[in-house]
Amino acid sequence: MKSLDKSVSMLQMELAATRSTQGMESSSVDGPSTRKKVFMVIGINTAFSSRKRRDSVRETWMPQGEKLHKLEEEKGIVVRFMIGHSVTANSILDRAVDSEDAQHHDFLRLEHVEGYHELSAKTKIFFSTAVAKWDADFYIKVDDDVHVNLGQLAITLSRYRSKPRVYIGCMKSGPVLSQKNVKYHEPEYWKFGEERNKYFRHATGQIYAISKDLATYISINQPILHKYANEDVSLGAWLIGLDVEHIDERSMCCGTPPDCEWKAQAGNICVASFDWSCSGICQSVEKIKSVHEKCGEGDDGVWGALL
């Protein structure tokens, strides 16, 4: 009976996803629009103040110009910096991003007001926007101070292509911080039980991936999904009650050299590298090039990946 209940609930969710997709495809004022079928969509979380970080990513692991277009057409890999807008419409910040996008054509603009304490909302809007635009097998969020090997990421995710509902990243269970004025303070700490309790298992926020059904679920239910103070906790909360397979993929949280360098020399190239102490690469603008040189998969990595 439990098995039957689970099957029925999953069928209901898949039906809702199908209806949502059909709605997306027929919502254009010019008639039905077709979402482009791709393998994965990567949203690089960035802020107005992070131009130097974006340029450092462009100069290392993110293809540019014609190569970025070729990556989409030949490999089905979409990479975009995701950013919303400022509180004031058409501000100097918005115009600066417009100008940058006109130069690089690598932004995904979101209907979202930027702010550090709004990352949970931004995450929901990213998945909803990406699902409406692309029909992907996987949707990935990554921070702009993390080094990524696109080929290794694609190869890693391709192993789970046959699974309908997967949540992939470096799973953790950190303490729920009830003290005010500390980083990662949780205002709703009482919901997680007694003091000094830990959160449920969830992927660390520097980089994670979810499959199509889960991104569609978030898109459909966006208005009623609760936002916790920390974005990675929010995503874990949205998925914890679903029939989801959590994949603890440690290659998505390698350290910077020498850690990722040793692993690369041993033939175990990392998907992503960053410093836990900084929740990203420490001083990433200055150091990401060195990480790329020592831990990168090489220019042919993503082009030679068999998906």
Side-chain angles (χ1 to χ4, degrees), residues 148-268:
V148 178
N149 281 315
L150 290 173
Q152 284 302 120
L153 175 60
I155 291 168
T156 298
L157 296 184
S158 67
R159 300 185 195 129
Y160 307 108
R161 211 169 189 172
S162 63
K163 297 177 180 290
R165 291 169 296 279
V166 288
Y167 172 32
I168 307 168
C170 288
M171 299 295 162
K172 65 174 186 177
S173 180
V176 180
L177 300 178
S178 59
Q179 306 94 329
K180 292 184 178 180
N181 302 319
V182 298
K183 192 175 183 180
Y184 306 127
H185 166 62
E186 178 55 74
E188 298 179 84
Y189 61 88
W190 64 275
K191 287 186 178 180
F192 298 92
E194 303 303 319
E195 281 196 51
R196 294 184 293 278
N197 269 7
K198 290 187 175 183
Y199 288 112
F200 41 76
R201 195 71 61 178
H202 62 279
T204 190
Q206 288 85 354
I207 180 172
Y208 49 72
I210 59 175
S211 55
K212 178 193 302 188
D213 283 2
L214 300 183
T216 305
Y217 170 84
I218 292 171
S219 177
I220 294 168
N221 296 284
Q222 181 189 165
I224 60 171
L225 293 176
H226 184 68
K227 298 174 293 184
Y228 288 98
N230 300 302
E231 158 245 343
D232 52 355
V233 172
S234 292
L235 179 64
W238 303 336
L239 304 181
I240 195 70
L242 305 180
D243 186 17
V244 173
E245 183 174 354
H246 289 55
I247 307 292
D248 186 20
E249 181 53 67
R250 306 313 291 182
S251 69
M252 292 175 73
C253 56
C254 295
T256 56
D259 181 48
C260 59
E261 185 178 13
W262 290 340
K263 289 172 180 173
Q265 291 171 353
N268 300 314

Side-chain angles (χ1 to χ4, degrees), residues 12 16 52 64 82 93 121 140 163 184 191 197 261 290:
Q12 289 172 333
K52 290 184 178 179
Q64 286 297 289
M82 57 161 167
L93 297 174
I140 300 97
K163 297 177 180 290
Y184 306 127
K191 287 186 178 180
N197 269 7
E261 185 178 13
S290 174

